[in-house]
Each structure stands twice: as structure tokens, then as C-alpha cells.
Amino acid sequence: MYRSVKEERMEKQLKGIVRTVIWAGVLLLVGSVLFAMILSDATDRAAAYQLHARTEEYSSRLYEQIDSDYQIMDTFASIIGSSGITDREDFPELLDQANYENDFLTMTYMDVSGDLVAAVLDQEVTQNNIQGIQEEARAVLQEAIEGRRGISRFFRGDLTKEDIIVYGTPVYQEERVVGALAASGRIDIFREILEEGAALEGSGFVDMIDMDGNYMTRSGNDNISAELTNVFSAPYFAEDEAAERKAEFQEKGRLEFSFRYGGEKYRGLIEAVGIHDWCLFSVLNTRMGSREIYVMNRAAGVLFGVIFLLMLGLLAYGCRLVWRNGKRLQRIAYYDPLTGAYNMLRFRQLVEESIGRNGSHYSLIALNVHQFKFINEIYGREQGDRLLRFIKEQIRERTKPGEFFCRETADIFYLYTTETDRDVLEKRLTELMDGITGKAAGIRGDYQLLMCCGAAIASEGETAQTLDETMTHVMLALTRAKDVHQNNVWFFDRELHRSEIMGNYVEAHMHQALEEREFQLYLQPKVDLASQKVAAAEALVRWIRPDGLMIYPDQFIPLFEANGFCVQLDMYMVDAVCRKLREWMDQGLEPFPISVNQSKRAFYETDYLARLTEIAEKYQVPPELITLEILEGFTFENVDEVNRKIEELQKKGFRVSLDDFGSEYSSMNTLGKIRINELKLDRWFLKDAAKGKENVRVIMEQVIQLAHKLNISTVVEGVETLQDHDLIRKLHCDFGQGYYYRRPISEEEFYDIYLKEK
Ligand code: C2E
Ligand code: MG
Ligand code: MG
């Protein structure tokens, strides 16, 4: 289908919203990435800080352990030095006992000559020479003899059969070194330190390694390097960078690094302790290490995610809302709520757009149901609505690509097509109408549904036509089609074109014609069916042009109703009628009551009653002789107001008649409400009833009965034959009017025929 400016605007708005939300989303995304980066950096820094702090702490614990070991030894050394017990015979036993009282594995005393006494836990005390002991212990004792404290590397003790470390300290006597004291301890003590406090609270571990990266002792918390002998390998260092990082470490005595293991991120630190080539190798899980920041990071991530999803949701919701609202507004603005077809507004837009594309190569068709109001009236509004929906479906099924249609008001559908071949159009439209009237069973009951079409082929016009002109042509054609009482298509043609030209003539000459008295009074008798005598007459206007051509009211009354000139003409006719009545009365004749047709405009004029009264008084004509014929359409809109006016007229003596009942807005309902004196049944009733349509005859009968109950006299129009006459008599109608009795005749003729003899 075609897209309108409104739809495009809506789409633009929608795009704007989407763009804004997408930008907001991108900003949010960038923001969250930045935030995550800052947080991750903070996590790293926090982890590094923690790692340093922990490593330092472990380093000082090592020193503390060594210091406390030295302290024990120093105390013992000073006792030995000052007491001179080394010379005693039981010195070996004393040493053994002292060994039992502390945590050392062995204690060894050596004098300056190199002779030594060694006490080993749970073993005999041995006496030996420095040459007989292990190299690591010998070095420490040698250092002590030279007056320095010493500490050995880790090694496996021959006597203890365990991994041990040896401390050495000099023994002084009067500030002179007299010997050396050595003690060994299990290196397990260092492992215990490393595991103390569940090392880094379960978030990492600390091992001891040498400067080459070889493990000296391993913490039990180390769940990563159990299989490794050297740290300069995976997962700590990639193969290609291990050597380089090792060199870097050996140069600086300290190395920081990070690595991934088991999907987690770790930071590591290797730092020389300052004793031999001992180093602490610390590893910390960054996530566990800085838990708060990590949790914050995660929470922020989740929050951003939720906000992002929320925005997406909002966007989807917003789009849906705008879209649905747009659709709803569009439905209200462009669619007929009853049938779902386009309305007139949309139809016109589409036609104009289509003309813009294809030019004036198109046809417009108006499709109408005969006396649709009656279907509403008799079968109920619901049935009427169903029929309209059914018609819409039927039209929809038969429209071809590029064609579209709308429902205007009530029962009028318009159709646009680029088909301009008259025969093709006629065939298609006839099929459409036959399809509808044939299949409408169930909707119509036993009612014979009739339809008609008015069509205008725009390209047939002599000059390019505007859409409004084409619409007028369609309506003119439809008016003609309505007059044919069977499914039919009427094309706007030359004859209608002539009437259009006539319309132009009428509008151009009406004022002059009124002045020149070209509008003349014709009268048609009304026959009293009981007495079979002429009892009244209806005034009908005829426009006699100076060239003698007679123009019928059908050709100018609708125009005058549109341009307002009918107000003047109606008063002119009332004036003509009163003047005639006065003339007859002056001749001593008993006058017939005369009906005058009144247009809606005249009727609603504020000084309407005053003007009528003025005319009646001017000619001294009793208002009872004047019947004002109003059309059904009047009463349709505001019954109360119409009734108020009618009452005012009746108070003055005028009579009011409802004309053409059943032609368009037929409503039994209004008949019950409106306070008229006379009801005129449209000639179509009689026409259909005469054709043998039983339901129409029944309706007529009921209308007449109802009117009588309401004290309203009835007139049937269009009595053309004796059978018509007999029929309406049987229906107990009061008056008949029609060509059977007399065609409308000039006032002179009327006088000659009906009054002269009187
Ligand atoms: P209407 O008031 O329903 O008048 C009856 C119309 O039916 C008249 O047409 C009349 O000539 C025609 N007619 C009468 N008997 C028969 C018949 O047996 N068969 C057929 N087929 N037609 C019959 P007319 O005079 O052409 O008037 C047409 C309409 O113009 C009138 O319908 C009325 O509504 C309007 N009209 C006529 N004169 C005036 C007027 O002075 N003022 C206003 N406002 N409207 C007028
Ligand atoms: Mg009339
Ligand atoms: Mg009439």
C-alpha cells in the first residue's frame, strides 16, 4: 500500500528514538568498559600491594625464626664461655642435655684446635675432629672460630638423616674466641612458617627458591607447582620469556610477574631474602586477593548489564508503543470503524497520490445500496452493519492491484481503478453488484436487495479534470443510477455533462430569472380517495426560459439548496400560491388547500414563520390553506427542534407535511416522534408494491396504519395507473397524487379544469 506523509513522519520519530537509545547504549557500554578497566587496574594494584606486604611479612618471619635460633645459641655460648665447663669431663653429657632442652636436632662444640663434641638427639654423644664432619657444618664452624656468626645452606645431615640447616656462633672467653658452637635445625620449620596463617588466607602461597629458581622448600598451600622443580617455567612464565625474566631477576634480586592458571588471574613476586641465595616466591590470586574490589567489579558489571538490558527492553517497549499508537491513530484517522475500509479522507489522499503518479488515467465509482435505511429500519441496525461489512468484503475480494476503495457515509462506497474501458468496467461492476445482491441471503432475509453504481472515467473529460470535478460527476451519475430500480451502472456521460452545463446556466441566471418572473407556478391535484374528487393541489415550480424552454426542478432545486437561493425561491412560491388563492377567493371560488415544497434552508431561517405569516396576511389568505412540505432529511438530525418549529407553524394555522417518506432516511421511528399533519409516501413504494413485492406492500400498509393512529393523513405519490389507484385505496390511504389523475399543470390550466365550473 501507499505510504503517507504521516506514516513517514512517524517512522522518522521512531528512528530518532532508536538512534537516541542506541547512542545511550553505546555510551553506557563505553562507560562500563572504562569503569571495568579502572576497577581491574585497581584490583591489580591492590593485589600487587598485598603481595609485597605479605612477602615482606614472610621474610621478616624467617628472620625472626633465625634470630630466635641465634639467641638460644648465643645464650648457651656465653654460658659455656664464662663457665669454662668445656674443660669438664662431663661436658659431653651437659651438651647432650642442653640439646634436649631446645628444638635443635644437633649441637656441636668445637675448640680452636678443631676438636669437637657433637650431641645428636636420641644418639650417643660423639667426639670428633672438624675434618670428620659434613662440609656445610664445617664451613659454619670455621666461620664462627673466625669470630663470625654463620648459617648454612639447606642440606641433608648424615647423622640426622633429615634436611637441615646449621647455625654457627663463636664462643668467647674474656673477649677472645675459644671455640665455636653449631646447632642444626630441621628446615621443616621454614615450611611451617610459609604455611603459617594458611598463607595468604587461601588466596595464594609462598615458596622458598634459590636465585636460579630451584625450589628449596614448598608450601603445602602451593597447588600450582607441585610437579615443578624450577619456577622459571609454565605456568609462571611462557617458555620463550622464561630465560629473559630469570636474568632480569638475577640482576635486580626481585621480579614481579602475572600469569593465568585454571582460568584465574595471579600475580607473583620473587624476592631475595638476603641470606645465601634464598628467595621468597609468592603467588596471589588477584580475585581472591582483593575480594572487595573484585565483588565491586562484578556487581558493577551486573549493574551495567541490567541497565543495558533494561534500556534494550525500554527501547523495544517504546518502539512497540509508538508503533501501536501510530497504528491506532492511523486507524482512527484513516479507517472506517465499522467496516475497516478506508475512509473518505484517506481515499482522497490515495487518489491524489495515484493521480500524481499515473495522471488522469483513472475511473471513480460510487456504489450504493437502494433504500439502505429501510434495511436498517426493518431488519435492525445490526443486520445493516453486517450487510455493509459484507459489501466491503465483496469489494475487497474483487479489487485488483493498484485499486482501492473506501466507505464514505452510510451505504456509499467509492472505488478507484485505473481501468478506463467502459465495457470492462460495466461488466466488472455488474458482476460485483450481482455477487453482493445474490449472496446477501441471510443478511437480507426475504428482502430484494438492490444496488447501483455511478461511474466517471476521468480520462474521458474534454479537459483535464480535478478530483473534485470527477467526484461531482460520479455523484451525478449515481443519482441517475438510483432512479433505475435494478442493479445498474450509470456512467457520467454527455447527457449528464449537459446537465452539468445546465447547472452552470442555472447558477448564472437564477437572480435575473426570479426578477423576470421566469419561475412559474404549476399545480398537481391531490385526489381524495374516499370521494374520488380533487381535494387539494401541490405547487411545483417550473422555470420557463425566455426562449420557451422549460427547466424542471430536479435541475435547479438541488443547486439552489446548495447555494442558498432556495430560501428566496420558496418564499417566492409561497407568495405565488397565496396570490393565486386570493385571486380565486376574490372570484368567490372555494379554494383548494395548496402544498408548497420547502427547502431545509428556508425552514431553518430564524424569521421563517414571520415571513410566512407576513405573506399570508398580505393576501389575507387563511394559513389553513397552506401546507408546507418538508423533507425527511430535516427531521433526521434534530427531532425536538423540528417539532418546536412545526408547533409554531401549526399554532399560526399552517399545516405541515412530510414529503418523500421512504426515499432516503426512512424511519418509522421519526414518524412516531414528529408532529406532522400529513405524510407523503415516496412513489417508489407504489412502484415496488405494484410490481408485486409483497414486503413493500406490507410496509406501506403498516406505515399508513401507524400514520392514522397518530392522526396523520396519508398521501401516496406516483399514482400512474388504475391499478395503482385501486391498490392505495385498498391500503386505506387518504389521498393519491400522480400522473394517473393529472400531471403538474400551469395555474391557468388548473383553473380551467378544476375551478372554472365552480
Ligand atoms: P416532490 O415534492 O416529491 O414532487 C413530486 C414530484 O413528482 C414532481 O416532480 C412531480 O412532477 C412528480 N410526479 C407527480 N406525479 C408523478 C407520477 O405519477 N409519476 C412520476 N414519475 N412523477 C410524478 P417535479 O415537479 O419535477 O419536482 C421534483 C421535486 O422538486 C419535488 O418533489 C420537490 O421536492 C422539488 N420541488 C418542486 N418545486 C419546488 C419548490 O417550489 N420549492 C422547493 N424547495 N422544491 C421544489
Ligand atoms: Mg413535494
Ligand atoms: Mg414528493
Side-chain angles (χ1 to χ4, degrees):
M1 265 297 133
Y2 311 105
R3 280 149 46 87
S4 70
V5 181
K6 259 192 189 161
E7 279 169 63
E8 270 163 26
R9 194 183 312 146
M10 204 180 78
E11 203 179 289
K12 250 190 213 160
Q13 280 172 350
L14 207 73
K15 277 185 185 161
I17 293 171
V18 172
R19 251 202 308 274
T20 313
V21 174
I22 286 177
W23 271 115
V26 167
L27 279 179
L28 190 75
L29 215 67
V30 170
S32 56
V33 166
L34 276 176
F35 188 74
M37 274 164 66
I38 290 168
L39 269 184
S40 150
D41 187 53
T43 316
D44 272 0
R45 268 187 293 149
Y49 174 79
Q50 211 180 357
L51 198 59
H52 279 284
R54 291 291 163 97
T55 310
E56 216 155 277
E57 191 187 323
Y58 279 88
S59 170
S60 58
R61 278 193 206 167
L62 276 183
Y63 274 105
E64 268 168 32
Q65 179 62 43
I66 292 167
D67 274 353
S68 82
D69 285 346
Y70 270 129
Q71 235 165 38
I72 296 166
M73 284 186 56
D74 284 348
T75 314
F76 197 59
S78 74
I79 293 170
I80 299 172
S82 58
S83 64
I85 53 167
T86 49
D87 298 334
R88 279 171 47 174
E89 211 135 284
D90 59 348
F91 177 66
E93 283 85 60
L94 287 172
L95 187 69
D96 197 29
Q97 201 176 335
N99 194 25
Y100 271 107
E101 281 165 12
N102 57 53
D103 289 337
F104 295 125
L105 276 177
T106 66
M107 284 189 93
T108 306
Y109 177 76
M110 184 182 86
D111 60 22
V112 281
S113 63
D115 292 333
L116 51 82
V117 181
V120 181
L121 270 187
D122 302 330
Q123 286 181 30
E124 285 288 302
V125 179
T126 52
Q127 308 228 350
N128 207 337
N129 186 272
I130 187 162
Q131 302 304 327
I133 59 169
Q134 277 175 286
E135 191 199 325
E136 285 82 359
R138 204 162 58 212
V140 170
L141 282 167
Q142 207 77 57
E143 245 188 303
I145 285 293
E146 284 162 20
R148 291 193 309 275
R149 271 180 175 179
I151 188 165
S152 77
R153 289 163 196 284
F154 292 177
F155 67 99
R156 189 144 188 97
D158 285 344
L159 294 172
T160 53
K161 308 283 184 255
E162 285 190 59
D163 290 333
I164 54 166
I165 182 173
V166 176
Y167 305 95
T169 192
V171 177
Y172 292 95
Q173 212 167 36
E174 286 156 13
E175 292 175 14
R176 208 163 41 82
V177 179
V178 290
L181 189 66
S184 71
R186 287 191 190 94
I187 65 163
D188 283 355
I189 188 78
F190 291 103
R191 188 177 302 139
E192 276 159 26
I193 289 169
L194 297 180
E195 286 167 10
E196 217 169 79
L200 302 176
E201 289 156 0
S203 56
F205 55 87
V206 184
D207 294 336
M208 276 181 82
I209 57 168
D210 63 20
M211 289 297 278
D212 287 323
N214 298 314
Y215 283 94
M216 288 167 60
T217 180
R218 221 182 298 248
S219 151
N221 301 318
D222 182 355
N223 53 350
I224 298 179
S225 39
E227 313 272 293
L228 299 178
T229 51
N230 192 292
V231 298
F232 289 103
S233 56
Y236 304 119
F237 299 96
E239 216 175 298
D240 53 346
E241 57 154 22
E244 199 182 315
R245 302 304 304 270
K246 186 174 164 181
E248 185 189 335
F249 165 65
Q250 284 172 343
E251 191 192 316
K252 292 180 183 161
R254 176 195 180 97
L255 181 71
E256 278 183 74
F257 62 96
S258 52
F259 66 96
R260 287 193 158 273
Y261 178 76
E264 300 262 15
K265 209 176 144 194
Y266 291 86
R267 268 190 94 84
L269 176 68
I270 312 174
E271 200 163 43
V273 175
I275 304 168
H276 300 299
D277 60 353
W278 298 358
C279 303
L280 284 178
F281 174 72
S282 316
V283 165
L284 180 72
N285 182 327
T286 40
R287 177 167 69 85
M288 308 281 280
S290 46
R291 200 168 205 99
E292 297 79 8
I293 296 181
Y294 175 78
V295 168
M296 229 165 89
N297 200 349
R298 268 294 142 99
V302 169
L303 193 75
F304 276 122
V306 167
I307 293 176
F308 193 70
L309 285 179
L310 223 72
M311 272 176 79
L312 277 185
L314 224 70
L315 175 72
Y317 178 72
C319 286
R320 220 170 89 109
L321 216 69
V322 170
W323 189 75
R324 283 210 346 215
N325 234 9
K327 281 273 156 195
R328 203 169 59 85
L329 286 177
Q330 213 182 347
R331 259 206 306 280
I332 295 169
Y334 289 150
Y335 293 88
D336 161 36
L338 178 67
T339 61
Y342 286 131
N343 62 15
M344 195 58 186
L345 175 76
R346 183 64 177 142
F347 181 76
R348 286 191 73 110
Q349 279 178 357
L350 291 176
V351 174
E352 263 151 17
E353 281 170 23
S354 203
I355 292 173
R357 273 193 308 272
N358 310 324
S360 282
H361 189 81
Y362 70 97
S363 304
L364 277 192
I365 291 115
L367 196 99
N368 184 242
V369 180
H370 262 298
Q371 295 177 316
F372 174 71
K373 293 283 169 182
F374 248 112
I375 295 171
N376 264 346
E377 189 66 40
I378 298 164
Y379 299 103
R381 220 194 149 78
E382 210 169 295
Q383 287 281 63
D385 289 350
R386 265 177 65 192
L387 175 63
L388 291 176
R389 282 193 286 265
F390 172 75
I391 294 173
K392 178 242 164 178
E393 271 315 301
Q394 291 293 311
I395 301 175
R396 193 187 56 78
E397 275 173 23
R398 288 174 169 84
T399 44
K400 294 183 175 169
E403 297 179 342
F404 43 86
F405 65 98
C406 75
R407 183 176 81 107
E408 196 204 18
T409 45
D411 55 338
I412 298 190
F413 289 85
Y414 282 95
L415 183 77
Y416 168 94
T417 172
T418 46
E419 179 61 69
T420 52
D421 185 304
R422 191 184 274 235
D423 293 335
V424 175
L425 271 177
E426 181 151 16
K427 191 165 170 283
R428 273 187 67 191
L429 292 171
T430 309
E431 273 171 17
L432 172 66
M433 288 187 291
D434 290 349
I436 294 170
T437 54
K439 274 200 243 159
I443 288 172
R444 62 182 162 83
D446 57 352
Y447 190 84
Q448 179 50 53
L449 192 69
L450 282 183
M451 300 198 71
C452 55
C453 284
I457 300 168
S459 54
E460 273 184 2
E462 273 113 72
T463 49
Q465 295 159 12
T466 64
L467 176 57
D468 280 328
E469 281 168 342
T470 314
M471 290 291 251
T472 318
H473 292 174
V474 175
M475 280 325 281
L476 274 169
L478 184 67
T479 324
R480 288 303 162 95
K482 276 181 183 172
D483 286 342
V484 183
H485 249 225
Q486 64 187 48
N487 286 352
N488 78 102
V489 188
W490 196 291
F491 284 88
F492 177 82
D493 55 11
R494 231 171 247 132
E495 193 229 322
L496 277 174
H497 189 61
R498 262 203 302 277
S499 80
E500 204 193 9
I501 292 170
M502 174 62 81
N504 294 339
Y505 173 88
V506 164
E507 285 206 278
H509 294 85
M510 58 191 189
H511 292 285
Q512 197 190 348
L514 194 73
E515 264 170 43
E516 316 264 310
R517 307 195 75 84
E518 286 178 26
F519 293 105
Q520 295 194 8
L521 173 64
Y522 270 58
L523 291 165
Q524 185 177 32
K526 276 164 143 179
V527 174
D528 180 342
L529 294 170
S531 66
Q532 308 243 34
K533 285 198 176 132
V534 173
E538 177 176 4
L540 293 160
V541 66
R542 296 289 181 265
W543 182 348
I544 318 275
R545 288 205 321 204
D547 60 5
L549 189 93
M550 183 188 284
I551 310 176
Y552 286 86
D554 284 350
Q555 285 175 289
F556 55 85
I557 293 291
L559 271 172
F560 290 175
E561 267 164 7
N563 67 20
F565 189 68
C566 54
V567 180
Q568 286 179 61
L569 180 74
D570 287 351
M571 287 306 140
Y572 176 89
M573 289 301 286
V574 175
D575 190 281
V577 166
C578 288
R579 186 204 304 223
K580 196 60 14 191
L581 285 169
R582 180 76 266 150
E583 208 182 295
W584 293 338
M585 288 194 290
D586 285 348
Q587 288 177 32
L589 299 168
E590 197 186 321
F592 292 108
I594 298 180
S595 305
V596 198
N597 292 290
Q598 299 293 287
S599 63
K600 194 172 182 172
R601 290 244 198 168
F603 186 80
Y604 281 116
E605 288 281 293
T606 42
D607 57 351
Y608 178 60
L609 180 65
R611 287 174 74 177
L612 285 179
T613 323
E614 193 190 316
I615 298 169
E617 278 169 4
K618 185 168 96 184
Y619 294 103
Q620 291 292 304
V621 170
E624 287 75 13
L625 288 179
I626 310 289
T627 300
L628 303 157
E629 288 193 8
I630 59 171
L631 292 167
E632 280 186 286
F634 285 37
T635 61
F636 200 59
E637 286 152 29
N638 190 343
V639 178
D640 290 339
E641 162 133 36
V642 171
N643 268 340
R644 208 172 42 72
K645 279 230 139 166
I646 292 176
E647 260 169 46
E648 278 175 12
L649 290 164
Q650 287 168 338
K651 258 187 220 154
K652 282 278 173 192
F654 295 102
R655 298 180 78 243
V656 178
S657 169
L658 186 62
D659 200 359
D660 293 355
F661 180 80
S663 66
E664 231 174 314
Y665 302 98
S666 292
S667 166
M668 302 254 212
N669 202 16
T670 19
L671 182 57
K673 284 186 194 155
I674 196 152
R675 307 209 186 92
I676 40 161
N677 305 93
E678 179 188 86
L679 180 73
K680 294 184 82 173
L681 281 81
D682 195 78
R683 65 171 174 273
W684 288 118
F685 274 115
L686 189 50
K687 204 154 205 176
D688 284 355
K691 271 190 205 154
K693 288 188 184 164
E694 186 52 24
N695 57 332
V696 178
R697 206 192 60 84
V698 171
I699 292 167
M700 275 181 88
E701 196 168 18
Q702 286 187 354
V703 169
I704 291 165
Q705 273 177 21
L706 178 62
H708 285 165
K709 269 187 203 144
L710 295 166
N711 213 10
I712 297 169
S713 71
T714 49
V715 185
V716 173
E717 300 180 289
V719 183
E720 292 184 345
T721 61
L722 178 61
Q723 286 94 316
D724 289 348
H725 172 75
D726 289 340
L727 178 66
I728 59 170
R729 277 191 53 178
K730 267 192 218 133
L731 293 173
H732 304 294
C733 181
D734 300 312
F735 299 94
Q737 181 182 345
Y739 295 168
Y740 172 66
Y741 310 111
R742 189 73 62 181
R743 285 178 179 261
I745 45 178
S746 68
E747 46 188 298
E748 294 84 9
E749 245 184 292
F750 191 86
Y751 173 80
D752 288 344
I753 299 172
Y754 299 110
L755 286 144
K756 219 176 180 176
E757 293 151 28
K758 284 196 185 177

